[in-house]
Amino acid sequence: MELPINKFNKAFENRIRLGVMSILMVNDWVDFGTLKEMLDLTDGNLASHIKALEAEQYIEINKRFINKKPNTSYRATFLGRNAFKEHLNVLENIIKQNE
Amino acid sequence: MELPINKFNKAFENRIRLGVMSILMVNDWVDFGTLKEMLDLTDGNLASHIKALEAEQYIEINKRFINKKPNTSYRATFLGRNAFKEHLNVLENIIKQNE
DNA sequence: AAATTAACTTTGCAATTCAAAGTACTATAA
DNA sequence: TTATAGTACTTTGAATTGCAAAGTTAATTT
């Protein structure tokens, strides 16, 4: 018997990291403030989950200044996109079996 | 902007509970040993997650004897099935936006 | 210099997860 | 009757994860 659950990616088992990735899958370069607002998080919390995704090399970071203010943006890497798609495939199979 | 992530059901954020439910969605009455084998868990670990699902009234329990041996079976309740479907809907929306 | 803003990092605590060990119940064997 | 075994737990303790709040850094504006 198959065990699709064991193909889950630990990096995406948390709702915040899943949220960050799902935003970055459809938006190129999203900045810290936008993510923070969209996900309604404290900045420490968001930063720590971003760090976890960065450690897996699932997202990359770009720091610059906009209107003389620091602005950090993130986007999903190729590796991250593929890993996320894999994870969604597992979920899709679970969904399919319930249709 | 919508926040689908916040509609996740905490009870299903764990891969084991998600696995148990996904098995019970397509199989009526599955016993402890089968679940344990399918999910490859220690019995203490499985028992604790089953307990959590039972506490939410997402599964019901039936104890009996088969061949003079105790046999405990579980199935998803109506409440559990609906909650799980809701959860899958959230995931489905995340998947859809990536197609 | 002082205050401000963005993006962190650190701290510390609470919740979650898990394996291992222990327990309860029933059955069967000695 | 004591012992052994099997199933399904419960308890224990430790590691991991998750989080808010407070502290920090760097550049900016006053």
Side-chain angles (χ1 to χ4, degrees), chain B residues 49-62:
Chain B
H49 287 293
I50 282 176
K51 200 177 172 184
L53 290 171
E54 196 202 350
E56 298 292 329
Q57 296 186 301
Y58 286 167
I59 62 177
E60 61 183 308
I61 299 185
N62 180 28

Side-chain angles (χ1 to χ4, degrees), chain B residues 4-15:
Chain B
I5 289 91
N6 291 333
K7 290 188 176 171
F8 276 148
N9 189 327
K10 265 223 152 195
F12 306 131
E13 282 199 79
N14 171 279
R15 77 165 70 190

Side-chain angles (χ1 to χ4, degrees), chain B residues 28-73:
Chain B
D28 208 34
W29 292 119
V30 179
D31 70 19
F32 189 89
T34 302
L35 285 177
K36 189 186 155 187
E37 196 191 339
M38 289 177 75
L39 297 168
D40 191 29
L41 301 172
T42 59
D43 44 358
N45 195 7
L46 174 57
S48 71
H49 287 293
I50 282 176
K51 200 177 172 184
L53 290 171
E54 196 202 350
E56 298 292 329
Q57 296 186 301
Y58 286 167
I59 62 177
E60 61 183 308
I61 299 185
N62 180 28
K63 295 182 186 230
R64 54 179 175 159
F65 280 82
I66 297 180
N67 302 324
K68 317 272 183 156
K69 289 176 189 171
N71 181 278
T72 309
S73 279

